[in-house]
Amino acid sequence: MTDFTGLELAQPILRAITDEGYTTPTPIQLKSIPALLEGRDLLGVAQTGTGKTAAFTLPLLHRLAQNGEKLKSRQPRALIIAPTRELAAQINDSVRCYGQHMHLRSTVVFGGASIRPQIQALNRGVHILVATPGRLLDLMNQRHLQLGSVETFILDEADRMLDMGFIPDVKKITAALPNKRQTLLFSATMPKSIEGLAASLLNDPVRVEVAPAATTVEKVEQHVLFVAKDKKRSLLGELLKNKDIARVLVFTRTKHGADRVVRHLQQCGVKSDAIHGNKAQNARQRALKSFRNGRIRALVATDIAARGIDVDGVTHVINFDLPNEPESYVHRIGRTARAGAGGIALSFCDHEERAYLRNIEKVIRQSVPVLEDQPFHAAEIANAPAPGKRSQQRKRNPNQRRRNPGRTKRAPKAA
Ligand code: AMP
């Protein structure tokens, strides 16, 4: 069974999948959909980019299609919770897309946006509610929402929920759910506390594990560019003269750093915008939309704001600043290797960031090739003793060396 017709999904759903141009289910879809159609609980160890949203949405839509599509005011039949507004909005977009040929109502609620239209949508009644935990609890506490009719509960990116301190909220939400329900929990990693949460929420779940982080990493062509801190912006401007860098996600450590990068790019004539926590929700949505539809070429983001962002066709990820958590590196570069596609990740590394680079290389179990042929290459950073080690020079594998991508056919992809 390698195509969608082998999965016994209702016709309107298959039509929507065809409209989207999907021909083959991804591994997580192949493994999850049959078990979910049987009504099993599921523990999914998978990160964004694996096709997990469709893996949980398609069987959910199928169940709704089979069981009649009746609606009750303020009582959703399925609840999906996600840690960030962007991810929640994206899930709702996917639900609408896959459910476009059904008579289906869904809505998304999150903080930072006016609550009134959210209350109105709930009053009208929805089959599927997608929510971030805080706003969901507000709506429950204000009695605009009742979870007694929830048949399917999906918790996405549980490890991010943990990082962001949402687990107590999640527990309050799950306490309001009926005992008889189907429950799905997805997490990119499985720390002990998530295992514990899963054990308390799931009933005899199927465990589906796909593409550990390293597999995604392998699909991405990675380079490190050693550069002095004060030359990073000039380097970025130079790289973006290369039009092959068509859709680029640039990561900075701070919100102000993101704004500074955007100002510089605009001076260089590169259409760009930033998303980070200081921006109003609608400004973030606007930036994301412009990035998706190609109106802007570069989106500059901080880690938190970028969590779960799903944009197809990102040709490059540029780490303007290296993250201090290797896991963030893996998440960041995974944005350019969606659903099996490859991509290119370029990481700027200044003197102080060499320790981060070393930790990243340990976690991804490979050394990141150095791109020397760039105008701001700082040999003194490359050759300085590795932090924490005595006079060990950074070794370069000659096979991994790249020429200036601007001058080669393939490399523009690379830089
Ligand atoms: P997700 O892991 O849910 O964030 O999905 C990652 C991306 O893969 C999204 O852009 C989906 O539109 C796309 N996608 C999901 N399933 C398939 C499929 N079977 N074939 C092609 N693309 C897919």
Side-chain angles (χ1 to χ4, degrees):
M1 180 172 60
T2 52
D3 67 8
F4 279 101
T5 47
L7 301 168
E8 288 170 11
L9 293 164
Q11 276 309 318
I13 302 173
L14 289 175
R15 257 176 72 201
I17 293 170
T18 310
D19 292 349
E20 273 303 283
Y22 301 175
T23 50
T24 322
T26 66
I28 193 163
Q29 291 162 3
L30 268 182
K31 290 181 192 160
S32 309
I33 293 174
L36 290 172
L37 290 175
E38 278 174 22
R40 298 281 305 268
D41 280 4
L42 184 132
L43 176 61
V45 188
Q47 58 187 70
T48 324
T50 51
K52 70 182 159 78
T53 316
F56 64 70
T57 306
L58 302 179
L60 171 61
L61 295 175
H62 180 83
R63 268 173 86 96
L64 288 169
Q66 297 307 103
N67 300 347
E69 296 168 352
K70 66 177 185 286
L71 263 184
K72 282 196 230 162
S73 171
R74 303 180 187 195
Q75 295 191 36
R77 298 195 25 211
L79 173 65
I80 304 173
I81 59 172
T84 63
R85 317 161 200 196
E86 280 80 12
L87 181 59
Q90 237 164 247
I91 294 172
N92 189 45
D93 290 345
S94 299
V95 166
R96 293 205 165 153
C97 166
Y98 304 135
Q100 62 187 289
H101 302 299
M102 295 170 61
H103 301 289
L104 181 95
R105 266 205 226 149
S106 72
T107 196
V108 58
V109 300
F110 43 65
S114 167
I115 201 166
R116 203 170 284 253
Q118 300 178 354
I119 294 171
Q120 285 164 351
L122 292 172
N123 279 340
R124 280 195 298 273
V126 291
H127 296 97
I128 301 177
L129 174 64
V130 190
T132 54
R135 179 55 60 94
L136 184 74
L137 279 175
D138 285 348
L139 288 161
M140 284 164 64
N141 293 338
Q142 294 175 30
R143 304 193 186 289
H144 294 296
L145 177 67
Q146 220 255 69
L147 301 185
S149 301
V150 171
E151 297 155 21
T152 306
F153 171 60
I154 301 168
L155 199 169
D156 199 9
E157 301 214 342
D159 51 352
R160 294 290 169 202
M161 296 268 193
L162 180 73
D163 290 350
M164 296 171 81
F166 287 148
I167 298 299
D169 285 356
V170 170
K171 289 189 173 154
K172 282 185 207 147
I173 293 164
T174 54
L177 292 168
N179 288 332
K180 189 173 171 303
R181 60 166 199 256
Q182 184 180 33
T183 306
L184 288 62
L185 185 150
F186 287 87
S187 194
T189 55
M190 270 296 152
K192 279 232 152 46
S193 45
I194 297 296
E195 291 274 9
L197 180 72
S200 70
L201 293 180
L202 303 170
N203 178 17
D204 185 26
V206 203
R207 186 181 170 116
V208 173
E209 209 159 330
V210 296
T215 316
T216 308
V217 166
E218 277 157 20
K219 281 192 224 129
V220 181
E221 185 178 324
Q222 301 165 63
H223 301 276
V224 60
L225 288 75
F226 289 112
V227 55
K229 202 188 201 72
D230 61 350
K231 294 285 186 293
K232 283 185 172 184
R233 267 177 273 166
S234 308
L235 174 58
L236 183 65
E238 277 300 311
L239 291 176
L240 290 189
K241 286 183 182 163
N242 184 339
K243 291 287 182 276
D244 288 324
I245 304 188
R247 184 171 288 179
V248 55
L249 200 48
V250 181
F251 285 95
T252 60
R253 199 158 25 237
T254 66
K255 303 169 197 171
H256 292 301
D259 288 334
R260 276 195 298 269
V261 168
V262 167
R263 280 198 296 273
H264 181 75
L265 287 178
Q266 282 168 348
Q267 278 165 15
C268 298
V270 176
K271 289 202 176 114
S272 55
D273 206 343
I275 51 166
H276 54 61
N278 284 1
K279 293 231 161 187
Q281 180 58 20
N282 54 5
R284 291 209 242 172
Q285 300 280 25
R286 226 181 9 250
L288 202 54
K289 194 168 168 203
S290 307
F291 188 52
R292 276 212 181 94
N293 65 23
R295 257 204 305 274
I296 60 172
R297 190 169 150 218
L299 185 68
V300 187
T302 55
D303 284 301
I304 294 270
R307 270 176 194 164
I309 284 183
D310 172 19
V311 178
D312 288 334
V314 172
T315 58
H316 292 71
V317 165
I318 295 184
N319 291 311
F320 187 87
D321 298 312
L322 273 179
N324 55 3
E325 294 170 9
E327 249 224 337
S328 298
Y329 177 83
V330 174
H331 275 277
R332 287 179 182 188
I333 72 169
R335 311 283 161 197
T336 180
R338 323 293 295 168
I344 290 151
L346 304 173
S347 299
F348 295 180
C349 178
D350 66 27
H351 195 78
E352 286 161 22
E353 292 169 320
R354 288 176 59 256
Y356 300 160
L357 177 63
R358 202 157 62 90
N359 290 338
I360 289 166
E361 290 181 327
K362 258 196 230 153
V363 166
I364 62 173
R365 291 188 221 102
Q366 65 189 71
S367 75
V368 181
V370 183
L371 197 146
E372 280 185 7
D373 202 355
Q374 46 99 349
F376 300 96
H377 175 63
E380 69 286 4
I381 300 178
N383 295 328
K389 289 200 176 172
R390 269 180 299 145
S391 76
Q392 186 194 321
Q393 291 230 326
R394 198 184 157 77
K395 289 194 189 77
R396 197 187 62 226
N397 173 350
N399 297 328
Q400 293 175 322
R401 215 175 131 199
R402 285 235 171 270
R403 297 163 56 78
N404 182 341
R407 281 196 253 125
T408 61
K409 266 208 161 131
R410 182 165 179 241
K413 276 200 326 162

